[in-house]
Amino acid sequence: MNELLDAALGYAARGIPVYPVHWPHPTPDGATLGCSCRHGRGCDRAAKHPLVRHGVNDATTQAGQLERWWRRWPHANIGLATGICFDALDLDGPAGLAALLKLARAAGLRLRGPLVATGGGGWHHWYAPTGLGNRPPRGMTHVDWRGIGGCVLAPPSRHISGQRYRWLRDLDRTPLPEVPAALRALLDPDPPTTTVPARTAGPYAPGHPYGRRVLAAELATLGRATPGHRNHTLNRCAFKVYRYVAGSLLDDQEVTLAFTTTALAIGLDPTEVARTLASARTAGQANPRTVPAGPGPKPEEAGS
Ligand SMILES: [Zn+2]
């Protein structure tokens, strides 16, 4: 047994059809990763395309078949068929996250279901199946819906970057929610007109205890920022926190999620938020920090 097969069998036991997908493979010089297919580093769907002829149409819940596949390809990534047991909202990086959270804020959506951080820096929100096919929600960019006929990669698959897909909120911690009406309206062919109250989605709290205190302090500072100072405050606070991400105290995608949520809640523009966070992240990455030496570290020490 290996952890990929274990996970594949776990998804199948829930009724989710599974199929094997190419994986990141060290290049002959050992220095980088390429696709496990014959194209290697030249593959344009590296570690994302199926190992079986009919792709998602070959997906199965039969344990014996999964065991044969992962015995033949022990490192195979895990592809799941969407549209049967679950659908997925696919957010392509911070711009996709910002687009979703803007809708969430305007429509009072609660984003509380299972959530995957993809190895490529995006997110998959899992929902109960809708009966819809693959399509982007109307008016949203960097966002896609995976439904009938679609597929997603699932934890613990590895992205070509070497990063694993992982659960931020796993299937056992939370039930699959129905797709919220405001989002459904953007997916249906003929949208009903709905009016919904504005509400704020709450941020998430990840990481090492010290890192979490720094994050909470900086999010609070951002939350108090006044018009005219909000983008600058976002940049300053996010830079401080991304330094602890670089120091491995906090999770990159969880921090981006928390800052994006708070920044949109205080009225910043999604595009501006994505741009500012990208800049703060680059600067923070270049200046890693970890838990300060000495007794009794205070979050204010890092947060002022
Ligand atoms: Zn390939």
Side-chain angles (χ1 to χ4, degrees), residues 40 114 116 185 197 229:
V116 172
H229 301 279

Side-chain angles (χ1 to χ4, degrees), residues 35 37 43 45-46 49:
C35 188
C37 75
C43 178
R45 294 274 300 152
H49 61 107

Side-chain angles (χ1 to χ4, degrees), residues 86-97:
F86 75 102
D87 286 0
L89 185 70
D90 181 0
L91 308 179
D92 181 19
L97 175 64

Side-chain angles (χ1 to χ4, degrees), residues 18 89 104 116 134 147 156 202 206 242 255 284 294:
V18 180
L89 185 70
V116 172
N134 296 337
Y242 278 120
V255 164

Side-chain angles (χ1 to χ4, degrees), residues 52-133:
V52 285
R53 183 189 302 262
H54 304 293
V56 69
N57 294 319
D58 286 333
T60 182
T61 58
Q62 292 174 16
Q65 180 63 68
L66 297 174
E67 284 163 5
R68 282 192 293 279
W69 279 336
W70 267 270
R71 195 179 306 133
R72 181 172 175 189
W73 302 298
H75 302 292
N77 277 339
I78 298 172
L80 302 180
T82 54
I84 298 164
C85 292
F86 75 102
D87 286 0
L89 185 70
D90 181 0
L91 308 179
D92 181 19
L97 175 64
L100 175 65
L101 292 178
K102 183 185 180 191
L103 173 70
R105 190 166 63 91
L109 304 188
R110 292 163 61 87
L111 303 169
R112 300 250 186 257
L115 179 62
V116 172
T118 74
W123 294 267
H124 293 158
H125 280 274
W126 285 33
Y127 286 102
T130 57
L132 301 169

Side-chain angles (χ1 to χ4, degrees), residues 183-205:
L183 179 55
R184 176 78 193 223
L186 301 178
L187 295 167
D188 280 327
D190 297 305
T193 308
T194 54
T195 50
V196 282
R199 196 165 60 200
T200 303
Y204 306 108

Side-chain angles (χ1 to χ4, degrees), residues 105-259:
R105 190 166 63 91
L109 304 188
R110 292 163 61 87
L111 303 169
R112 300 250 186 257
L115 179 62
V116 172
T118 74
W123 294 267
H124 293 158
H125 280 274
W126 285 33
Y127 286 102
T130 57
L132 301 169
N134 296 337
R135 67 194 60 185
R138 228 184 326 279
M140 296 178 84
T141 55
H142 304 283
V143 179
D144 254 313
W145 187 259
R146 310 288 176 198
I148 289 175
C151 53
V152 288
L153 263 61
S157 297
R158 269 203 307 160
H159 186 263
I160 193 66
S161 65
Q163 295 290 316
R164 285 193 184 278
Y165 289 65
R166 65 197 192 285
W167 290 105
L168 297 181
R169 288 192 301 271
D170 71 32
L171 287 170
D172 294 322
R173 275 171 59 196
T174 175
L176 280 182
E178 295 294 325
V179 62
L183 179 55
R184 176 78 193 223
L186 301 178
L187 295 167
D188 280 327
D190 297 305
T193 308
T194 54
T195 50
V196 282
R199 196 165 60 200
T200 303
Y204 306 108
H208 181 284
Y210 183 83
R212 270 208 304 277
R213 289 200 297 275
V214 174
L215 175 61
E218 296 303 327
L219 289 173
T221 300
L222 177 60
R224 290 190 300 268
T226 51
H229 301 279
R230 292 176 303 192
N231 194 51
H232 174 70
T233 305
L234 173 63
N235 186 51
R236 195 163 46 85
C237 294
F239 166 66
K240 287 181 189 170
V241 174
Y242 278 120
R243 296 184 68 187
Y244 291 95
V245 172
S248 300
L249 261 60
L250 289 165
D251 180 86
D252 189 13
Q253 282 162 283
E254 291 183 86
V255 164
T256 301
L257 193 61
F259 269 109

